[in-house]
Structure formats: structure tokens, C-alpha cells
Amino acid sequence: MFTIIIPTHDRPVLLQRTLESLIAQTCQDFKIVIVSDSATYIPPYHHLAHFNGRFDYVLRCSGRPGPAPSRDMGQAIATGDYIIFLDDDDTFMPDHLAQLKARLDQGDRPELLFCDLQVQFENRAVTPPEPQGPTHKVSIADATDDSVYIRNRIPNSCIAYRRDVLDGITNNPEMVIYEDWDFLLSVLQKGCTLTHVATDGVVIHKTPADAPENMRRGNTNEELVVKVMMELYLRHPARNMETRLARQALLASANLHFDLSHF
């Protein structure tokens, strides 16, 4: 039912943790496509052996480094009914895919299935990473198609895309941040709709924004946030006046004032 695409770059310990969470899934109706844009590390053969041939490990030797072209390469060889883009530092709780499959087995074949999440802060200065504080449950059940046009509401790892709706959709390799948001907006512009499933089996692992070992690009390119948001607003026009006004109000709340024509 699922193809899980994992772009990775020189993070073997984190990747192995991600794979361990897939080994532990109570639903094994999936295939894995790992796309690495670096040949620094030996593939995690011990972990991959658990999947009994249900994986592809691709070494990408061309194009820019970064997750966007790696996701595209994985998508090109995906065969599952639904595609999930899983970051190499995130994990799934053991029943996560079983919960998604139970919803999909209802037969209505939603175009975009999304779920809630948990956030775990951790210290990556030690190996393996050490959890810092409790896991926080986050509900995004109120996310709607229009609200995603306003801000980046849904983490990439929380979405299962029906494979056919991705025809003609690719990631923008020029983007340093928010390429996953741009990708989702491109799918929504085709007229696809979001369907929520009430499960929080996705665990987003984060380090504090000011931690020196922080490897998440969104925390190291904060000066680009407004610029990229405005580019996305232009590339993906709001579908109604209410959304345009909400975009304007969001930036105004940060003391950034733009004429309505920008939205």
C-alpha cells in the first residue's frame, strides 16, 4: 500500500533510528526507497536486511545536494498506492502505518491523508541522541486546504499522497527552505483535498533552534523565511479573499505590512 521515500545525507545514526521504527511497524505493507546524495557512509545493510527485498537504496551522484531532488528520484521509482516522504531524522510509532491503512481500507481513497504528530526535542551532541524532556503531542486536525495556503501547517512526514495525484508534480531544487510546503501547495492547486486521520504516530525529532549541532535547514536560514513565503504566495495564489486577508494579517502580526496585491 505504501512507498516510504527517505532522502538522507551523512546522518547514519539518525537514519538507522528511522529504519528501526519501520522495522517495528505492525503493518508491513510497504516498500522503502532511500536516496542518499553522499557516498560517505556504507548503507545500513543490517537494518535493510529486515525488509526482505522491499527496499531500494539509491546513491544519487548528480544534481544539487538536498532533499528535493532526492525525493523526486524516489518518487520516480515508487510503486505503492500511497507515497510518504519521511525525513531521515523522524520516526513512526509502531502502529502508525496500521492506523493509516485502517483508514484507507474504508475504500474512499482520499487524495491526501494527513495525521497529527508528536515532537521530541533531543541533544544530538551525543551518540545516540539523548531525549530532552517529554514528548509533546500536537494536533493539526484543524488544518484545512485554505489554511495551508496561509502557512506551513503540516510536516512532510505526516502526509500520505495518493500516488496518482503526484503526476507532473516535482520538488523545486532551488529552494533552501519550504520546498515541502511548495510541493504540497502544487498538489492542492490541482484541486486535491486534505483528509485528516486522528492518529499521532509521527514523531518529529528536533534540536533546540540555537543548538550548535542543529542540522535542520529551517533553523539556519531564518533570514529567508519572509522572502520565501512571499515567493510562495505569488506562485500559489490564494483561492479566495478570506485567505488573502489571512495571509496579510499573518505578516502584519510580525509587524510586516504589505499591500493586499501581494497576496
Side-chain angles (χ1 to χ4, degrees):
M1 177 166 281
F2 304 103
T3 295
I4 301 171
I5 298 171
I6 308 173
T8 189
H9 177 87
D10 288 353
R11 304 205 286 192
V13 173
L14 299 180
L15 175 62
Q16 289 172 25
R17 179 179 65 184
T18 299
L19 292 176
E20 287 167 1
S21 80
L22 297 179
I23 292 169
Q25 290 300 300
T26 58
C27 167
Q28 289 288 313
D29 190 4
F30 64 88
K31 177 180 177 178
I32 299 170
V33 179
I34 300 172
V35 183
S36 172
D37 63 4
S38 169
T40 303
Y41 296 101
I42 296 173
Y45 293 117
H46 174 72
H47 291 78
L48 293 173
H50 288 270
F51 300 108
N52 192 29
R54 292 183 292 117
F55 72 89
D56 290 311
Y57 190 97
V58 181
L59 181 60
R60 182 169 66 82
C61 301
S62 61
R64 292 190 173 204
S70 294
R71 288 172 184 149
D72 286 346
M73 186 169 285
Q75 182 180 324
I77 61 175
T79 57
D81 294 335
Y82 283 81
I83 293 176
I84 299 173
F85 297 101
L86 177 59
D87 289 346
D88 66 354
D89 58 348
D90 294 337
T91 58
F92 289 159
M93 297 297 289
D95 67 342
H96 177 61
L97 293 179
Q99 294 283 348
L100 296 189
K101 189 173 188 298
R103 172 60 185 83
L104 296 174
D105 282 343
Q106 293 180 18
D108 55 338
R109 302 189 75 240
E111 296 161 322
L112 305 175
L113 192 67
F114 76 102
C115 66
D116 302 317
L117 62 140
Q118 303 178 44
V119 175
Q120 175 66 69
F121 284 93
E122 61 188 17
N123 176 15
R124 293 183 185 170
V126 298
T127 302
E130 185 177 82
Q132 295 182 317
T135 301
H136 303 279
K137 294 180 177 293
V138 179
S139 173
I140 51 175
D142 63 337
T144 63
D145 299 343
D146 283 341
S147 72
V148 174
Y149 273 80
I150 300 166
R151 60 189 178 94
N152 195 13
R153 295 287 319 271
I154 308 174
N156 210 26
S157 299
C158 294
I159 307 172
Y161 293 91
R162 202 176 71 200
R163 183 160 57 95
D164 64 290
V165 307
L166 297 185
D167 289 346
I169 304 295
T170 57
N171 289 271
N172 185 343
E174 305 296 326
M175 298 184 69
V176 178
I177 58 172
Y178 292 159
E179 77 285 337
D180 52 344
W181 186 19
D182 178 60
F183 185 88
L184 175 56
L185 288 171
S186 296
V187 177
L188 290 176
Q189 277 199 312
K190 296 176 69 174
C192 298
T193 59
L194 290 160
T195 299
H196 179 256
V197 57
T199 181
D200 58 4
V202 176
V203 183
I204 306 294
H205 298 266
K206 292 186 176 183
T207 57
D210 58 352
E213 71 277 7
N214 191 323
M215 294 178 281
R216 299 183 80 95
R217 293 170 302 139
N219 289 329
T220 57
N221 292 281
E222 290 185 351
E223 74 282 358
L224 297 177
V225 168
V226 174
K227 175 179 181 292
V228 175
M229 284 183 68
M230 297 304 292
E231 289 174 356
L232 291 181
Y233 285 171
L234 180 63
R235 190 178 307 149
H236 304 283
R239 298 187 289 189
N240 52 60
M241 180 58 70
E242 183 180 1
T243 302
R244 291 179 66 193
L245 291 169
R247 285 176 165 184
Q248 185 183 48
L250 176 63
L251 292 180
S253 68
N255 204 30
L256 298 169
H257 301 283
F258 294 89
D259 183 83
L260 191 59
S261 62
H262 288 85
F263 305 102

